[in-house]
Amino acid sequence: MTPYEMGRISSFLIKHRKLEDRADKRGLQREEKDLALVLREASIENIRDLEELMSGQGFSLITLNSFDVPGIGHGSRVYLLARRADSLCPLLDPGRLAERMDPSNGRATAAKIWFTQIWLIHLDLLYTQRDRGPHERHKWLDASFTRDMLEQSVREHINGHVRRLNPAELASSEVYEVLTSEKGADIARYTKRFLDLMCEGGMLDERSDGVYRQSLLSAVEIKENFDRTLAPLMVVGSDSPAAPQLATVSHTLLTRRDDNEEQGSEL
Amino acid sequence: MAHVVQTFLKNLQFMHKLDLSPLLKVTARLLDLHDSRRASGESPQYQSEDRPGLGDGRYLAMAQEVLDVLQVFGIASGDEYSTLSSIQQAVQERLKWAIDLDIEYVLNVLARPTELRLLHTDDEAPSHVIGDKETALVEKAAHVVEFRLSRVGKTALSIASDNMDIAYIEGDVTKLIRALDAGRLTSALGFVDRLLMQLRSEQLSLSALIEQTSGGRKARQDVFADLETHRETMRRTVVLIEEARLKVEALIRRDVPVEDDVPIGLIKAKIKELSGGVVRYGRELSRLAELSMHSAQSSVQAPSFRELAQQWVKTPPASNQVGLVLSIVGPVVASGIQPTGTDFTGLVKARVQQAALAQNIELDGFEVPPEDRFLEWLSLNQSTLEKRLQNGGVDLFAALREGLGEMDRNAALNCLVTALTAPDEWVNEPVQANLDRSLARSHVPGLEALTSSLTLKRASNEAREDSHDPL
């Protein structure tokens, strides 16, 4: 692998986050086929160099084959560029969430709230409803849902839980305010934008009209990074009596919130 | 036959329990398709789910025992027919509730052939339907009520008892080795393909178990009870696969003509893949063993993301906190100017190959140094040395004085010392050398030498007896 080829592979992976080396080659781009061949013929030293290059940019280069995870054919390989929880990649932009979720109103906070809430509900469909732990990468092939299912879950969450909360206790919660001000078509509109964003970001694949499945990249990233991202927040949120001490410590460490912090900065 | 029945009953407790359910499971839907009355082009929905029968599974349980009993009887008697009463007695030992008439009914059903209509397709000829009546699992003797397993029945039992457990992988690799020994590459390819498929399936199951265990979701008791045995099996299997690999190498090296069309390189590549797979499987077993030691004693439920969403309605986390989470596990797209291949071309200098230094050696002008010209020196001076040896001995100082330490006006001290210290090169009789501590200075061309005295003499009789070493 020449430095030029390594640069091409790096560029392709940063853009698509996935490079497939399949025997049938159907649906693969021309560039992907060429780069897959380069990677297949690369020496171990070359692959190590590429891993280090990617590591320096905040990624882990993960190579999977048919012995690693279901969904990869015999003799095929998939190269994934997973983000690392310990270093942020400057080449990726998560800042367009609000813009894409609510392009007309420009209400960045409300857009983020909608995205975050739908995102957690979608994780509930992919993991909790299937009795699947975040480390269980191998179940990604069965992790699918329809747009209707997601909409229904979000509706149940808002109508069945959020609207039943005591408003007096939640006067300062902007999340409560945004969700309860939902009009009839908001859920469908935000859900559609959420799904488009997730597909564009490579987290979901649209299998057919209105049917979505978790991508292998998403399953891998959740497995690799759950313990350092969401797990501490779930301990904070847990009501179980077994975790109060850790929850207290984690809350202090993770949030460090100022009492006077503006509500606009909350989600 | 009574003796056979007694032996059978005695050994009953040690026998492997036959299970026909896998056979039934894999053929049930195929039979549905065979019996389908649907015309081509009709609705794709399948609705006739009714299965006639009592639904108590009694006859199937009896059939299982009947076939098992017939197999044992057949082994003991060399495929002789068994009487109805002996079969009934043996089956009733296992199934107390089975009555004679029911067992006979089961035997009659198993012995009756049914015709299957199968579409036969040739590569060139048009396809056509053929009838196959070889379906009876039991053969009934003519004129008497006696039974034995049919050829199809034996095949059925062989399939039912075929153990696909990874614990028996050694046996499968041994079959592969035997196939390679015999040069049957088609069979070898079949074995190695099946092994790879089985190993891949087991590897994925193991990975799933590891993911559940490492996530703290799997109970400790769910992990293999005999992990160490499994690991030992894998270690032995690696050795066997290495043997198979060597067999392939030998086939390639000897260029043995084989009748099969299977390319040997394909088998070699698959064996290499198999070897890597087994090594990895063994390693993952070790990892699982390590994980299971630290895992919880009971299973835990998957975390509830809906509860987290509800929690965040009441007590929202800080914006930057959520932003951080989404930047790591949320959707992102590449932005800005990304490095391309050409960005790297200017930064990395190509390695320049050093021009090899030209070495001009003129052999014509090369002069061999005096120390490498011993034989030449010896041919010039051997007669002088031998004369000196006959007349009392060769002394180093005297030889230097006579000019033996030089050749062609160059110092040849090395040659002289070599001649005195290694006399075997030019003397055929026993000699002895005496080294004196006295030192003397000598001049040879280009060299000022300070040497001790060294004298070479013919060995006396006493000296010959004292030592075998001339020096």
Side-chain angles (χ1 to χ4, degrees), chain B residues 276-436:
Chain B
V278 172
V279 169
R280 179 175 168 181
Y281 186 79
R283 202 169 51 225
E284 299 272 281
L285 281 173
S286 303
R287 192 170 153 221
L288 179 62
E290 188 185 332
L291 281 171
S292 61
M293 286 172 67
H294 305 293
S295 65
Q297 288 190 356
S298 60
S299 297
V300 290
Q301 284 190 327
S304 172
F305 290 98
R306 181 184 289 265
E307 281 180 15
L308 185 62
Q310 292 170 355
Q311 183 64 33
W312 283 8
V313 175
K314 292 183 205 169
T315 51
S319 176
N320 57 355
Q321 199 174 346
V322 175
L324 186 69
V325 169
L326 291 178
S327 68
I328 295 170
V329 284
V332 283
V333 287
S335 68
I337 301 168
Q338 293 167 42
T340 65
T342 48
D343 292 344
F344 292 83
T345 49
L347 298 175
V348 183
K349 301 289 184 198
R351 188 176 292 170
V352 179
Q353 188 160 1
Q354 295 283 333
L357 290 173
Q359 298 200 355
N360 296 320
I361 300 172
E362 291 181 10
L363 291 176
D364 293 343
F366 178 69
E367 286 188 9
V368 181
E371 58 267 28
D372 293 341
R373 295 167 66 187
F374 174 69
L375 290 178
E376 188 184 346
W377 176 88
L378 192 62
S379 65
L380 291 173
N381 300 304
Q382 187 169 0
S383 58
T384 311
L385 288 170
E386 284 173 350
K387 202 179 290 176
R388 286 281 172 202
L389 193 62
Q390 297 299 328
N391 297 332
V394 185
D395 181 64
L396 179 61
F397 294 149
L400 284 170
R401 279 195 298 275
E402 286 181 22
L404 294 182
E406 61 185 273
M407 184 169 66
D408 296 342
R409 299 179 180 230
N410 287 316
L413 183 62
N414 289 353
C415 297
L416 179 59
V417 172
T418 304
L420 292 176
T421 53
D424 291 348
E425 296 286 333
W426 55 279
V427 184
N428 292 326
E429 57 183 321
V431 289
Q432 63 181 19
N434 294 322
L435 188 65
D436 196 336

